[in-house]
């Protein structure tokens, strides 16, 4: 086993490749992509073949490392766990470092090797390794959770700071708008006071105009009554004048008739014996002729 013998030497290309591909806890915490199995693409219990360098999963997951060893007829029996950097032998079903410890202590001499004890030690070492892996994975998980919470808290703090700044800007803009609104309200109040004063003046003028209108209405009615009375008096006067004109016309006609009759009677021979009676115009208008007084 030349590769197993020099597994502790950093010049071994397989060990150097395994160390270069083994992610550290800090790298896992920083969200780097871990190595995965070439068969099932899982990142748990990944092992590297010390013969060909193929990445396969170990016995705790899908046992692709054992399948790889069986495919090569146990020629690729040694794999190294990338998390613990321990070498596992699929042919003996144990860790290689257990054999190395027993070989240094002299337990592997002929007639002194206890297979059951070696198996028990291997199982104990495997249990300790699994427990260490679980604790390490839990520690890494909680560290990642803590870092994620720190990032979330930092992001939330930044978001809150931006919200506070935005609210402060909104408050300043609202205060400016409020001042502007207050200035506009004061201007509107002054304009309202001016309009109230104008309204009062207009109401006073309206009251005066109403009084003037009432006075004008009363004067107009009085003038109308006076005009109606004057029209009635004028009509009465015109009627009286018409009656007087009619009476004068009749008197003139009677006088003309009397004049004609007088001229006719002037040539009568017995003018001395006769006596003509001239009636009044009223009587002439009623009779329309003169009345002759009878002789004595």
């Amino acid at each position: 086993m030349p590769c197993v013998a020099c597994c502790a030497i950093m010049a071994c290309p397989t060990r150097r490749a395994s160390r270069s591909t083994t992610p550290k806890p800090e790298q896992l915490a920083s969200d780097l992509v871990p190595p995965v199995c070439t068969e099932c693409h899982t990142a748990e219990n990944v092992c590297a073949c010390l013969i060909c360098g193929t990445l396969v999963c170990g016995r705790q997951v899908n046992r692709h490392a054992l399948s790889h060893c069986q495919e090569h007829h146990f020629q690729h029996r040694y794999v190294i766990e990338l998390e613990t950097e321990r070498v596992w032998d699929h042919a003996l079903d144990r860790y290689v470092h257990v054999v190395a410890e027993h070989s240094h202590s002299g337990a592997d001499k002929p007639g002194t090797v206890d297979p059951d004890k070696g198996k028990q030690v291997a199982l104990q070492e495997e249990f300790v390794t699994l427990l260490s892996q679980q604790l390490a994975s839990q520690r890494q998980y909680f560290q990642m959770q803590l870092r994620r919470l720190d990032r979330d808290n930092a992001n939330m703090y930044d978001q809150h700071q931006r919200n506070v700044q935005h609210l402060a800007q909104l408050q300043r803009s609202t205060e400016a708008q409020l001042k502007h609104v207050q200035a506009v309200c004061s201007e509107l109040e002054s304009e309202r006071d001016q309009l109230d004063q104008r309204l009062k003046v207009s109401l006073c003028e309206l009251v005066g105009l109403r009084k003037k209108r009432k006075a004008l209405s009363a004067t107009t009615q009085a003038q109308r009554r006076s005009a109606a009375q004057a029209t009635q008096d004028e009509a009465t006067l015109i009627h009286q004048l018409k009656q007087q004109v009619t009476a004068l016309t009749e008197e003139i006609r009677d006088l003309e008739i009397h004049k004609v009759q007088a001229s006719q009677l002037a040539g009568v021979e017995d003018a001395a014996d006769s006596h003509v009676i001239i009636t009044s115009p009223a009587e002439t208008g009623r009779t329309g002729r003169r009345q002759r007084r009878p002789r004595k």
Side-chain angles (χ1 to χ4, degrees):
M1 296 184 298
C3 188
V4 175
C6 65
C7 63
I9 303 174
M10 292 303 299
C12 179
T14 305
R15 183 169 178 82
R16 187 170 62 250
S18 65
R19 283 186 176 273
S20 62
T21 56
T22 303
K24 296 181 180 181
E26 294 78 6
Q27 294 177 344
L28 290 175
S30 59
D31 296 334
L32 294 177
V33 178
V36 295
C37 176
T38 57
E39 298 292 336
C40 60
H41 303 287
T42 181
E44 296 180 3
N45 193 21
V46 179
C47 303
C49 180
L50 293 179
I51 306 302
C52 62
T54 304
L55 296 178
V56 287
C57 58
R59 295 168 292 109
Q60 287 81 13
V61 187
N62 294 323
R63 304 176 66 87
H64 286 135
L66 180 60
S67 301
H68 176 74
C69 178
Q70 292 174 355
E71 288 177 0
H72 292 83
H73 304 286
F74 289 91
Q75 296 298 323
H76 296 188
R77 55 189 290 185
Y78 299 105
V79 293
I80 182 171
E81 295 180 353
L82 299 182
E83 295 181 359
T84 61
E85 297 184 357
R86 293 183 177 183
V87 180
W88 179 264
D89 184 3
H90 287 286
L92 298 178
D93 196 16
R94 66 178 64 179
Y95 285 103
V96 175
H97 72 279
V98 176
V99 179
E101 289 177 357
H102 284 281
S103 62
H104 288 293
S105 61
D108 55 347
K109 293 181 180 180
T112 61
V113 178
D114 190 0
D116 294 334
K117 185 177 181 180
K119 190 71 172 182
Q120 184 178 0
V121 172
L123 291 176
Q124 183 178 0
E125 291 292 334
E126 183 179 3
F127 176 76
V128 172
T129 302
L130 291 175
L131 184 60
S132 301
Q133 291 176 0
Q134 293 295 327
L135 293 175
S137 63
Q138 290 182 1
R139 179 175 58 82
Q140 293 173 5
Y141 172 76
F142 286 114
Q143 286 179 354
M144 293 175 63
Q145 292 295 324
L146 288 174
R147 287 185 176 87
R148 185 180 62 81
L149 290 176
D150 291 337
R151 290 195 300 269
D152 294 341
N153 291 331
N155 294 330
M156 291 177 63
Y157 179 77
D158 295 337
Q159 184 66 28
H160 288 322
Q161 289 294 329
R162 289 192 293 269
N163 292 334
V164 168
Q165 293 177 0
H166 181 64
L167 290 176
Q169 293 178 359
L170 288 177
Q171 183 179 3
R172 288 192 294 269
S173 62
T174 305
E175 290 177 354
Q177 292 178 0
L178 180 61
K179 291 180 180 179
H180 178 68
V181 170
Q182 290 177 353
V184 172
C185 290
S186 61
E187 292 179 358
L188 291 176
E189 288 179 355
S190 62
E191 291 180 359
R192 186 191 63 184
D193 296 336
Q194 294 177 2
L195 290 175
D196 290 339
Q197 294 178 359
R198 292 180 182 178
L199 181 62
K200 291 179 181 179
V201 174
S202 300
L203 289 175
C204 294
E205 293 178 355
L206 181 61
V207 172
L209 291 175
R210 286 180 179 177
K211 290 181 180 180
K212 290 181 180 179
R213 188 185 66 180
K214 288 182 181 179
L216 289 175
S217 298
T219 305
T220 303
Q221 291 178 2
Q223 290 178 357
R224 287 179 180 177
R225 287 194 297 270
S226 300
Q229 186 66 31
T231 303
Q232 186 177 1
D233 295 341
E234 184 179 0
T236 303
L237 181 60
I238 291 173
H239 181 68
Q240 292 177 0
L241 290 174
K242 285 182 179 180
Q243 290 179 354
Q244 291 179 4
V245 168
T246 303
L248 290 174
T249 303
E250 290 179 355
E251 289 181 359
I252 289 171
R253 189 177 62 249
D254 291 339
L255 289 173
E256 289 178 353
I257 293 172
H258 179 70
K259 182 179 180 182
V260 171
Q261 290 178 359
S263 61
Q264 291 178 358
L265 291 176
V268 181
E269 295 178 347
D270 54 356
D273 295 335
S274 61
H275 182 72
V276 180
I277 302 174
I278 300 173
T279 62
S280 63
E283 293 177 354
T284 304
R286 286 192 299 271
T287 58
R289 63 179 183 277
R290 292 182 300 171
Q291 295 181 0
R292 186 183 298 275
R293 183 180 293 180
R295 295 181 180 178
K296 296 182 180 179

